[in-house]
Amino acid sequence: MKDCLSELGLRDVNSGVFADGWVEHPSGGELVSVNPTTGEPIAVVLQAGETDYEHVAAAATRAFESWRLLPAPRRGEIVRQLGDELRRHRAALGRLVSIEMGKVLAEGEGEVQEMIDMGDFAVGLSRQLYGHSMNSERPSHRMYEQWHPLGTVGVITSFNFPVAVWAWNAMIAAACGDTLVWKPSSTTPLTAVAVQKIASRVMERNGLTGVFTLAVGRGSMVGERMLHDRRMPLISFTGSTSQGRHVATATAERFARSILELGGNNAIIVMPDADLELARRAVLFGAVGTAGQRCTSTRRVIMHRAVAVDLTEKLRRAYPSVRVGDPLDRATLMGPLVDGDAVETMMRAMEQIRAEGGEVLRGGNRLDRPGHFVEPALIKAHAGMKICREETFAPILYLFTVDTIEEAIALHNSVDQGLSSAIFTRNMQWAETFLSARGSDCGIANVNIGTSGAEIGGAFGGEKETGGGREAGSDSWKAYMRRQTCTLNWSNDLPLAQGVQFEF
Ligand code: UN1
């Protein structure tokens, strides 16, 4: 562990505040980063106090004045250097993610790869911030739209993807000419400090500062200030639906934009012709991967009656063989939950499951060892269970049985969340029904692929109580820029639109 901390420049006590440079003694108190595998402290991060926050926000606002004027391809070139620096530290940073957050090493490294992929995407994007040109209805007039940098973006991230979600926002925002204030989750401050060190080294080499800034601190102080800070025209927030509702109202109140990535309640529909072996593997990765702590985790499987017995049996056999343990051990499939509260929440959900008549087929107990370990739970559920409508951020999987595709889709869409969805079938009509306007109501819909593990090239996000935000690929960049419609008259006359005559 020491090796990876020292490669990343981390010490026993670290500043969690970067404005124009590291603030040596921020005044917001000590935050101890704890290893969820052992329950032991890893290191201390010093949090932002009120004046520290002010320094950070002011530095990012100042940096915007010049960063926005740098040609976008030159900003892209700097983002390329950031990607290269991340490549150099992929192993160490991936390991730190596993140590601090508890996801297994393959997933920790995968998360850093997601950052690198975002970097590559943003480099290309920096030469493709296209606007349309339109045909004006007036003679000798030209009409077009262009995209300008927006300002300083406030980015509030969650513990479960402590670095990738920063990259979704940071790489795009930087290419678009915006600057950033990052408030990471208080559960994973060390990975944030490590990423900031990498980013600020690259910026320093280019004689720049204030483009990427960091304010580790309490949500009630740093988070609240960001929501109400008029210097930040956009807040990108990842977290629970209840917190997201607060972010939505606070930002709307001052007409700021928000990108919200909130709760999911993702399901896989399995039809009679499905390749059950593929389905089994996708369900397991989706339900057990990251210990069920992804927004995209598979929480429900909706099985056609024709395959319900078979698939249930396959899962019953697979669940006990999921190796739970040290995330740094390559043989482990599921690490710990992030903290003691997460374990308590899962245990409460298990009680409710039993009270509502769910049948526990496998697991669901806490493990008697140090750290926050649980067994993944496999539940035979029925549509009346209220708990299945909630996102419990833990490895609990509900199995439902249905008789038709219509019934499957109705049950699928009956929850409040709308992030990710999947169907397993080779039947074109079933697949297309699922993808059609009367099919899945989610932001992400997959065929013969599970609900989690999206590629960065597409826009990531969901509908309903998931919040409607879109991040990462496709045209998500548009949320980070302001659109300007320009009409230019090169005639010697002043014709009015819609043919309006106004002579005097
Ligand atoms: C999240 O859980 O907040 O699609 C993000 C996935 C990952 C990102 C998940 N690429 O599972």
Side-chain angles (χ1 to χ4, degrees), residues 165-212:
V165 173
W166 174 83
W168 290 357
N169 288 281
M171 301 293 190
I172 299 283
C176 289
D178 298 337
T179 58
L180 244 88
V181 173
W182 181 18
K183 187 207 128 21
S185 160
S186 294
T187 320
T188 50
L190 265 190
T191 48
V193 172
V195 168
Q196 180 67 41
K197 280 186 189 281
I198 290 172
S200 43
R201 211 159 47 231
V202 171
M203 300 318 275
E204 204 180 318
R205 244 187 266 142
N206 288 278
L208 293 159
T209 186
V211 176
F212 302 113

Side-chain angles (χ1 to χ4, degrees), residues 359-376:
E359 187 187 336
V360 181
L361 302 176
R362 292 288 184 206
N365 300 306
R366 80 174 81 209
L367 293 179
D368 187 19
R369 53 176 284 178
H372 310 296
F373 288 93
V374 294
E375 299 164 339

Side-chain angles (χ1 to χ4, degrees), residues 103 114 158 160-161 164-165 168 238-239 261-262 285 290 293-297 393 419-420 444 451-456 460 471:
K103 63 175 70 176
E114 197 159 341
S158 158
N160 65 334
F161 273 81
V165 173
W168 290 357
T238 306
E261 297 291 357
L262 314 177
F285 177 65
T290 327
Q293 298 171 110
R294 290 192 189 210
C295 306
T296 51
S297 288
F393 228 50
L419 179 54
S420 185
I444 297 171
T451 59
S452 67
E455 300 177 19
I456 60 100
F460 183 95
E471 287 167 305

